[in-house]
Amino acid sequence: MIGRNRYKNRIELLQGTLDMLILKTLQWGPQHGYGIVQALHATSGEVLQVETGSLYPALHRLERQAWVRSEWKQTESNQRAKYYRITAAGKKQLASDLSRWQHMVEVIGAVMHRVPDGEEA
Amino acid sequence: MIGRNRYKNRIELLQGTLDMLILKTLQWGPQHGYGIVQALHATSGEVLQVETGSLYPALHRLERQAWVRSEWKQTESNQRAKYYRITAAGKKQLASDLSRWQHMVEVIGAVMHRVPDGEEA
DNA sequence: CCAAAGATGTAGATTCTCTACATCATGATC
DNA sequence: GATCATGATGTAGAGAATCTACATCTTTGG
């Protein structure tokens, strides 16, 4: 939900970062899908707004990879919800995703901060 | 060509950054496709290796948007090559892409640097 | 002559995120 | 009791970007 404007006038998430963001959110404790969206929204300063059509497929993807586990429970407001918990494999994946992300930011930064010939640094 | 391992064991570029990287490369001066790949490879410390199947569709995309203009010329080694040059609109787009990228890095960083409750910052 | 390197290109697969819809439960309001 | 907002999960299909894999042509060097 940030990034390029591909669909009319919507800002969207950089592809490939959603799984990492979800795993990171779950590192703060077990959470259900709706709660993950709210947490990401809050932690990002109201910038990230993940759509349900992105979220649930992502959660199912993560569960298929055994990076998260889920369990149906009642919420505080007495509604059923599927709580997700990060697994040991998920923590490893998160660490790997993060290091890859940081490397990428560094590499892209190296390219983007080069100045054209004849200009000041 | 960096990022998640989606196709077997390949590292790949983060989606949405290629256009920005190409425009940035062209800011150093007009260049042909093959040269852009080499420039990105060199500037990124031999990390980025854009595939031709990604590059040429991207260049055609950029030209369709009028962010670059092309012209057939002879290279120094006496081969024909299509030289691309960034346009004024392309420079605006590049500035916009860069600011969006930086914003995104900041926002994702804000999420990723939060520590779980009960741990040290 | 032939192979390697320089150069451009397309087709199709894959993956991800989004839009748009559908469903169900609970609590508050009319 | 009906209705509506909110909380919660989910699917189908569109759209876009990158990759793999191939095809083609030219120039230079052995």
Side-chain angles (χ1 to χ4, degrees):
Chain A
M1 266 292 164
I2 211 188
R4 186 183 300 285
N5 235 28
R6 291 193 307 220
Y7 306 86
K8 289 167 196 158
N9 37 15
R10 210 78 179 67
I11 33 171
E12 69 183 48
L13 195 58
L14 201 53
Q15 295 224 171
T17 56
L18 180 56
D19 292 12
M20 176 176 84
L21 291 168
I22 291 175
L23 290 176
K24 179 67 189 180
T25 302
L26 293 177
Q27 217 184 28
W28 306 327
Q31 188 58 275
H32 52 86
Y34 199 87
I36 291 170
V37 172
Q38 291 176 318
L40 283 174
H41 189 245
T43 316
S44 67
E46 273 74 44
V47 175
L48 299 176
Q49 292 171 213
V50 180
E51 300 301 326
T52 65
S54 308
L55 178 76
Y56 293 108
L59 285 170
H60 300 160
R61 204 155 64 216
L62 294 174
E63 193 164 21
R64 254 196 328 273
Q65 310 267 181
W67 293 334
V68 302
R69 273 190 348 247
S70 68
E71 187 185 4
W72 286 98
K73 274 196 193 170
Q74 293 300 111
T75 62
E76 291 163 19
S77 53
N78 205 36
Q79 277 202 225
R80 50 131 224 184
K82 207 190 258 181
Y83 278 81
Y84 288 89
R85 180 185 300 273
I86 189 167
T87 64
K91 285 179 193 170
K92 269 190 202 163
Q93 182 59 31
L94 174 56
S96 152
D97 278 353
L98 179 57
S99 97
R100 198 143 41 203
W101 165 255
Q102 286 170 336
H103 183 207
M104 181 161 33
V105 167
E106 212 177 294
V107 166
I108 292 181
V111 175
M112 298 307 293
H113 294 128
R114 261 199 60 175
V115 287
D117 290 348
E119 295 187 17
E120 292 297 306
Chain B
M1 263 292 173
I2 212 189
R4 185 183 301 285
N5 236 28
R6 291 193 306 219
Y7 305 85
K8 288 167 195 154
N9 37 15
R10 210 79 178 64
I11 32 172
E12 70 183 49
L13 194 58
L14 203 53
Q15 293 222 175
T17 57
L18 180 56
D19 292 12
M20 176 176 84
L21 291 168
I22 292 175
L23 290 176
K24 179 67 189 180
T25 302
L26 292 178
Q27 217 184 27
W28 306 326
Q31 188 59 274
H32 53 87
Y34 199 87
I36 291 171
V37 172
Q38 291 176 317
L40 284 174
H41 190 244
T43 316
S44 67
E46 274 72 46
V47 175
L48 300 176
Q49 294 171 211
V50 181
E51 300 300 326
T52 66
S54 309
L55 177 76
Y56 293 108
L59 285 170
H60 300 160
R61 204 154 66 214
L62 294 174
E63 193 164 22
R64 255 197 325 276
Q65 310 268 182
W67 293 334
V68 302
R69 274 191 346 246
S70 69
E71 187 185 3
W72 286 98
K73 274 196 193 171
Q74 293 300 113
T75 63
E76 291 163 18
S77 53
N78 204 36
Q79 277 203 224
R80 49 132 224 182
K82 207 190 257 179
Y83 278 81
Y84 289 88
R85 179 185 299 274
I86 190 168
T87 63
K91 284 179 194 170
K92 269 191 202 160
Q93 183 59 30
L94 173 56
S96 152
D97 277 353
L98 179 57
S99 98
R100 198 144 40 202
W101 165 255
Q102 286 170 337
H103 183 207
M104 181 159 35
V105 167
E106 212 178 294
V107 166
I108 293 182
V111 175
M112 298 308 293
H113 295 129
R114 263 199 58 175
V115 287
D117 290 348
E119 294 188 17
E120 292 297 306

